[in-house]
Amino acid sequence: MSTTNRNTKDDGCCGLFFLKYVLCIFNIIFWLSGATILGVGIWTVIAKHSYVTLLATGMYAATTYVLIITGIVVVLVGILGCYGAVWENRCSLISYASLLLVIFLLEAVAGLLAYTYAIDQELERSLNKTMLDNYKFNQDKTEAINAMQANFKCCGSRDFQDWKYSQWLKNTVTNDTVPESCCKTESRGCAVSNHPSNIYYDGCMTKLLKFVKDHIVIIGAVGLGLCLLQIFGIIFACCMAKRIKEWEAYKYTVTNYQR
């Protein structure tokens, strides 16, 4: 290969060799970001799984699953990007840049959904009714309520007195004044007395709200933060695809000239 040819292909910071290595390094970071997104999504599903049934809408769950899908797609797309960079395959690089744009939009949607999710209004509107109407009548919600009260050390939606209006106490013969998960030391029959030394008096709404908001901040930050990374990937992939096209045109011109 002549000196002229070499300079045309590897022209400083815009050369194919430079862009190839930059894109490979970017893809390593990209894979790690995909694993991070996937990990955050799975962690959020596991951490909030028992509580999500108490939320009136599926917006929170949808935001989380968008993150998980995005994480899986990122890992797969990273392979395509490496292939295109190493083999200087223009078609693969264009596909890679297009998929990065799709991932960018997915992450932007997940981030915006997370930050605009009106969890305060949803909990105020629905949590108390969900607890009072479903406790002991819906297995999933009953388990979620018990887990929430035990883990957050709370009782009822606003406070322990909410339970006296529950369908459970109205339709069941029991000496308990609140669920046993309200007890500071949970045991059979512990909820007969509602003395403050025996049960938690604080409601769960404020604590559940903080829990969900903390997760939403993480989901939103990861989703929106990774959008910035994708922009660089799209730029590098498009630059390399353009240089490959120019290099192929140059080779074609030289070949025809030599003939």
Side-chain angles (χ1 to χ4, degrees):
M1 184 180 290
S2 67
T3 304
T4 305
N5 289 3
R6 178 70 178 181
N7 288 339
T8 303
K9 188 173 184 180
D10 188 17
D11 188 16
C13 64
C14 294
L16 273 179
F17 287 101
F18 173 80
L19 289 171
K20 178 191 292 188
Y21 291 123
V22 166
L23 204 51
C24 284
I25 292 170
F26 171 82
N27 269 294
I28 293 172
I29 299 170
F30 193 52
W31 275 329
L32 292 174
S33 73
T36 301
I37 293 173
L38 187 59
V40 168
I42 292 172
W43 166 70
T44 304
V45 167
I46 292 171
K48 59 81 185 171
H49 179 70
S50 61
Y51 309 139
V52 76
T53 56
L54 302 177
L55 302 178
T57 68
M59 185 68 73
Y60 181 52
T63 302
T64 302
Y65 289 118
V66 166
L67 268 189
I68 292 175
I69 292 169
T70 302
I72 294 170
V73 173
V74 162
V75 173
L76 296 176
V77 169
I79 297 172
L80 180 64
C82 267
Y83 174 83
V86 171
W87 295 101
E88 299 179 8
N89 187 302
R90 185 168 171 267
C91 183
S92 295
L93 288 170
I94 292 172
S95 299
Y96 172 69
S98 300
L99 288 169
L100 279 184
L101 181 60
V102 172
I103 295 169
F104 174 90
L105 294 175
L106 277 174
E107 289 172 347
V109 167
L112 290 173
L113 282 176
Y115 280 122
T116 58
Y117 180 38
I119 182 64
D120 312 59
Q121 297 173 19
E122 178 177 337
L123 283 181
E124 272 191 39
R125 185 175 60 249
S126 66
L127 182 61
N128 191 49
K129 188 176 188 306
T130 300
M131 294 175 73
L132 300 186
D133 290 352
N134 292 280
Y135 191 73
K136 292 297 185 182
F137 295 100
N138 181 300
Q139 184 64 29
D140 289 340
K141 286 183 170 59
T142 298
E143 290 177 359
I145 291 166
N146 284 331
M148 177 179 66
Q149 293 188 146
N151 292 336
F152 292 158
K153 302 185 187 309
C154 58
C155 188
S157 177
R158 296 179 181 85
D159 58 46
F160 76 100
Q161 295 187 72
D162 289 339
W163 284 111
K164 64 185 177 184
Y165 305 108
S166 67
Q167 294 300 316
W168 160 58
L169 288 182
K170 288 179 181 179
N171 295 283
T172 307
V173 178
T174 178
N175 292 322
D176 290 342
T177 55
V178 293
E180 291 176 353
S181 54
C182 285
C183 296
K184 293 183 177 179
T185 304
E186 190 173 341
S187 62
R188 195 164 189 81
C190 68
V192 173
S193 170
N194 61 6
H195 193 273
S197 64
N198 188 51
I199 66 168
Y200 300 112
Y201 270 32
D202 293 337
C204 297
M205 186 186 296
T206 304
K207 295 182 179 181
L208 180 60
L209 180 61
K210 183 182 184 303
F211 174 83
V212 175
K213 277 188 170 181
D214 287 346
H215 281 69
I216 285 175
V217 167
I218 295 170
I219 292 172
V222 170
L224 294 176
L226 266 297
C227 284
L228 300 176
L229 185 62
Q230 259 81 291
I231 292 173
F232 289 104
I234 293 169
I235 292 171
F236 291 142
C238 288
C239 285
M240 188 170 181
K242 181 175 180 292
R243 289 295 291 158
I244 290 171
K245 183 179 180 180
E246 291 172 352
W247 171 240
E248 289 174 346
Y250 173 79
K251 285 195 299 182
Y252 178 79
T253 302
V254 170
T255 301
N256 285 342
Y257 177 78
Q258 289 175 346
R259 287 177 182 174

